Amino acid sequence: MREKIIAANWKMNHLAEDLKKFFTELLAGYKAREEVSVVIAPASPYLARAAEMADGAERVFIAAQNMYCEKSGAFTGEISPSMVKDCGCRYVILGHSERRHIFGETDELIARKVKIALNYRLNPILCIGELLEEREDGKTEEVVSSQLNAVLPQLSPEEMLSVVVAYEPVWAIGTGRTATVEQAEEVHHLVRGIIGGAFGDEVAQRVTIQYGGSVKPENIDQLMAAPDIDGALVGGASLAAESFLRLINFKQ
Ligand code: PGA
């Protein structure tokens, strides 16, 4: 069985007090599930605090939402992989569509970030996904393939097994417009095929592929029932512990 990962991407939300409330409520209701990992990505000033709160909770991990691709040095405003690690993170979200489209991150930069994250034994959550006009122009496959092909050739099979892929159609992020299960599954199947083409089917079958884009308590069960959907990367519905707990407790 593949590991399932339900991840909270808080983006630029939640102060220290909100974080404390969230973890208190989460841990009061949380029961670890076999093969299901929980990942929480607060904003970077709160990573260490979040790691302390999650300490001792079975299969609950912290992720950074981004990091830079250099060890250290004159990069004002950035955080390094060793800092992410030092704050107690196991994961790092890389290539989120907001990083690509608001901050101009390129496939090349994202590939460098993935590589250095792996060197520091961080698990990258590599986000890919097409814009609405790309979908409407029938270019989803082309876009997703080229985003993956910017990274995959640089990885060994062992490294690929440490990467989580998150398919997030940009038109479904924060819009309330979720991809249908069929639309999502179609791309997840394609992504697994591309991984299989690069590393063989055995590796591809072990890689966790999350879906992201308006995941909520009302649609999590249908999404998680699809054969190639192994988890969710969740923004809006991850901010309150109650709704996030419902996502973690998706029906198998
Ligand atoms: P959303 O965000 O759940 O609010 O659509 C998902 C994401 O950006 O990862």
Side-chain angles (χ1 to χ4, degrees):
M1 263 260 279
R2 277 191 291 273
E3 186 191 16
K4 308 271 193 295
I5 304 178
I6 306 293
N9 173 13
W10 286 353
K11 312 189 179 186
M12 202 170 70
N13 296 293
H14 278 352
L15 301 179
E17 204 167 307
D18 308 306
L19 178 131
K20 195 167 160 208
K21 181 172 183 284
F22 177 93
F23 272 96
T24 308
E25 291 174 9
L26 178 81
L27 297 177
Y30 173 69
K31 272 223 198 108
R33 298 178 64 176
E34 201 64 25
E35 318 254 2
V36 180
S37 293
V38 174
V39 174
I40 296 159
S44 50
Y46 302 108
L47 290 173
R49 216 181 285 226
E52 268 168 38
M53 298 238 28
D55 192 30
E58 205 182 332
R59 286 196 281 280
V60 177
F61 305 104
I62 305 301
Q65 297 175 14
N66 179 38
M67 58 166 217
Y68 198 51
C69 54
E70 296 287 345
K71 271 203 265 188
S72 61
F75 303 100
T76 301
E78 294 292 338
I79 60 172
S80 71
S82 50
M83 291 170 186
V84 171
K85 191 85 189 166
D86 203 29
C87 285
C89 295
R90 171 172 306 201
Y91 292 87
V92 56
I93 299 172
L94 295 173
H96 188 276
S97 73
E98 286 146 22
R99 299 298 320 169
R100 291 177 189 264
H101 300 297
I102 303 174
F103 301 101
E105 291 199 6
T106 60
D107 279 334
E108 195 223 340
L109 177 69
I110 294 159
R112 283 169 60 200
K113 290 184 176 193
V114 169
K115 217 34 207 175
I116 195 160
L118 290 164
N119 290 345
Y120 280 82
R121 306 253 173 277
L122 287 161
N123 295 102
I125 298 178
L126 169 64
C127 302
I128 56 170
E130 80 287 0
L131 296 164
L132 182 59
E133 51 271 35
E134 292 167 336
R135 173 161 285 263
E136 285 171 345
D137 289 351
K139 290 193 177 141
T140 301
E141 180 168 348
E142 192 187 311
V143 170
V144 163
S145 311
S146 80
Q147 289 172 338
L148 280 173
N149 287 330
V151 178
L152 267 43
Q154 305 190 36
L155 306 181
S156 67
E158 292 69 34
E159 286 176 326
M160 187 67 233
L161 289 171
S162 299
V163 175
V164 175
V165 177
Y167 168 58
E168 300 202 299
V170 181
W171 47 272
I173 296 179
T175 57
R177 192 177 158 190
T178 328
T180 63
V181 176
E182 292 70 29
Q183 283 172 323
E185 171 59 24
E186 190 186 6
V187 181
H188 280 236
H189 192 71
L190 168 80
V191 168
R192 204 175 301 286
I194 294 169
I195 298 169
F199 300 102
D201 196 45
E202 209 195 304
V203 169
Q205 288 305 326
R206 288 168 61 195
V207 174
T208 296
I209 308 174
Q210 298 178 298
Y211 168 78
S214 298
V215 175
K216 42 191 178 247
E218 297 76 45
N219 57 27
I220 186 80
D221 298 337
Q222 298 92 292
L223 286 163
M224 292 303 289
D228 288 293
I229 300 181
D230 311 315
L233 180 55
V234 189
S238 75
L239 292 170
E242 192 192 355
S243 107
F244 190 56
L245 271 170
R246 171 64 187 90
L247 302 179
I248 298 168
N249 292 327
F250 68 86
K251 308 253 171 356
Q252 294 267 30

